[in-house]
Amino acid sequence: MGIRIAWVIVALIVIGAAVSALFRVTTAPDRIRDRRDMAKEVCLKAGGEWVVAEDRREVCKRT
């Protein structure tokens, strides 16, 4: 019986880790968008300009 409980505990931990990873992957676009919007806001408040660089990355150009 002790081995069966150990397997159940291990299975629950694996399932919990998988669900956690799936949640992080599905919410990643929202977190990336929020982080970019915050960076853009900070850049503009600091007197910079938010531009698209040559390699199509958005960056803060300080003046």
Side-chain angles (χ1 to χ4, degrees):
M1 170 111 77
I3 293 176
R4 187 180 307 199
I5 292 173
W7 278 110
V8 169
I9 291 171
V10 169
L12 288 175
I13 291 171
V14 169
I15 291 170
V19 169
S20 175
L22 182 64
F23 175 76
R24 299 271 304 160
V25 168
T26 56
T27 60
D30 296 333
R31 289 193 317 270
I32 293 169
R33 185 174 26 260
D34 290 345
R35 202 172 301 133
R36 186 182 63 236
D37 291 344
M38 179 65 73
K40 194 181 296 186
E41 181 180 334
V42 169
C43 175
L44 296 175
K45 284 184 179 179
E49 179 183 1
W50 195 253
V51 296
V52 177
E54 294 175 9
D55 55 356
R56 296 176 43 149
R57 289 182 6 171
E58 297 177 359
V59 295
C60 182
K61 182 179 178 183
R62 304 240 176 200
T63 55

